[in-house]
Amino acid sequence: MALDAATVAKLAEYLEKAELEAYDVTKITDDHPDMTIAEAYQVMEAIRDRKLARGIRQVGYKMGLTSRAKMVQMGVDKPGYGLLFDYFAVEDGGVIDTKKLIHPKVEAEIAFVTKAPLKGPGVHIGNVLAATDFVLPALEIIDSRYRDFKFDMVSVIADNSSSSRFVTGGRSRDVNDVDLKTLGLVMEKNGQPVGLSCGAAVLGHPAASVAMLANMLGAKGEALPAGSFIMTGGVTAAVAVEAGDTVTVHYQDLGSISVSFV
């Protein structure tokens, strides 16, 4: 049975309250087993509307579960997207308070900033590269609100794809100056390597992730506007962190970024 507006609003409140107050909850498909992906995005959008109504700004998009490592790790078979808000942003070298999160994990990403709009259907890698202003390194701190970090695709999309915090900085580059497919990186936790990968881990090419996002939005009549900030998904599997940890990622051609946890 389709979810009515009141149920969508109730689920949005349930998940956003868990995010803001940092406590875990049971996954929503336990009570709504027939919920669809489309309805999950309705819940995510209702969370967005709650934030916008309080004066919070959306500052970008994130693709999730775009690497084979992440799909295997989370037991899902296709990507989804989430929304980034102003209070998620943490400066390069900054500090994150773990008491405001539930069970944070960190993954290394490649981010795009566009200079022209992109609207699907039919957006492909060539369109994305032509519309890109620059690329830069990013770290995403994901923090599913679901107990034990266990969920299905519908539940995770409704939970804004586990969005929580992000770090960006390093060195921005023109897409013509880097080979995004072979661009390598090493992720370190407390000085020890915990992840080694390259751009091709994201759907074969990170620009394919942006194309997929543009096409997913286009199917809903929406576009990626010029100036969009898009995190293309974890190049590495997510690594759990706790107070006292520092994560640094060294990127080929894009410098390094880091974040610490207290």
Side-chain angles (χ1 to χ4, degrees), residues 89-98 165 167 245 258-262:
V90 178
E91 64 185 15
D92 184 10
V95 176
I96 293 174
D97 184 356
T98 56
R165 301 287 186 272
V167 181
D245 288 337
S258 66
V259 68
S260 297
F261 297 84
V262 295

Side-chain angles (χ1 to χ4, degrees), residues 14-249:
Y14 171 77
L15 290 171
E16 196 202 19
K17 195 159 183 263
E19 179 231 324
L20 296 175
E21 297 181 17
Y23 60 83
D24 62 8
V25 294
T26 55
K27 67 181 189 294
I28 58 176
T29 49
D30 289 353
D31 294 321
H32 301 278
D34 299 326
M35 191 172 169
T36 66
I37 295 281
E39 289 169 336
Y41 279 114
Q42 289 175 17
V43 173
M44 184 186 78
E45 288 157 4
I47 291 172
R48 174 199 63 197
D49 293 345
R50 290 171 62 87
K51 294 184 188 302
L52 297 181
R54 298 199 302 274
I56 291 166
R57 292 178 57 239
Q58 183 184 336
V59 296
Y61 295 85
K62 56 155 281 187
M63 286 290 283
L65 307 169
T66 52
S67 73
R68 180 55 50 189
K70 281 293 297 179
M71 290 186 205
V72 169
Q73 185 180 34
M74 302 316 307
V76 301
D77 60 0
K78 60 189 168 211
Y81 72 87
L83 309 175
L84 302 174
F85 298 98
D86 53 11
Y87 68 94
F88 289 4
V90 178
E91 64 185 15
D92 184 10
V95 176
I96 293 174
D97 184 356
T98 56
K99 292 190 292 295
K100 295 182 178 179
L101 303 175
I102 304 163
H103 34 211
K105 297 184 180 185
V106 180
E107 54 192 38
E109 309 210 4
I110 297 167
F112 283 61
V113 175
T114 61
K115 60 185 177 185
L118 286 165
K119 185 172 183 181
V123 174
H124 57 75
I125 288 174
N127 303 134
V128 172
L129 295 177
T132 298
D133 192 5
F134 56 89
V135 293
L136 72 170
L139 277 172
E140 185 179 12
I141 295 84
I142 54 173
D143 190 32
S144 172
R145 270 53 72 170
Y146 296 121
R147 196 150 300 147
D148 300 323
F149 228 102
K150 289 188 169 64
F151 47 74
D152 49 57
M153 196 67 188
V154 168
S155 292
V156 71
I157 287 171
D159 187 33
N160 195 22
S161 294
S162 305
S163 302
S164 169
R165 301 287 186 272
F166 68 90
V167 181
T168 192
R171 181 183 182 192
S172 61
R173 297 293 296 267
D174 186 289
V175 290
N176 296 312
D177 295 336
V178 290
D179 182 348
L180 289 168
K181 198 175 175 73
T182 62
L183 189 150
L185 61 86
V186 179
M187 182 161 73
E188 297 175 350
K189 175 179 168 182
N190 304 326
Q192 297 300 311
V194 291
L196 176 68
S197 193
C198 68
V202 176
L203 297 175
H205 192 297
S209 178
V210 180
M212 182 178 283
L213 173 61
N215 290 328
M216 291 168 83
L217 292 172
K220 300 160 73 171
E222 301 174 23
L224 274 173
S228 291
F229 172 72
I230 305 117
M231 296 176 61
T232 54
V235 183
T236 60
V239 174
V241 289
E242 57 188 21
D245 288 337
T246 295
V247 173
T248 301
V249 185

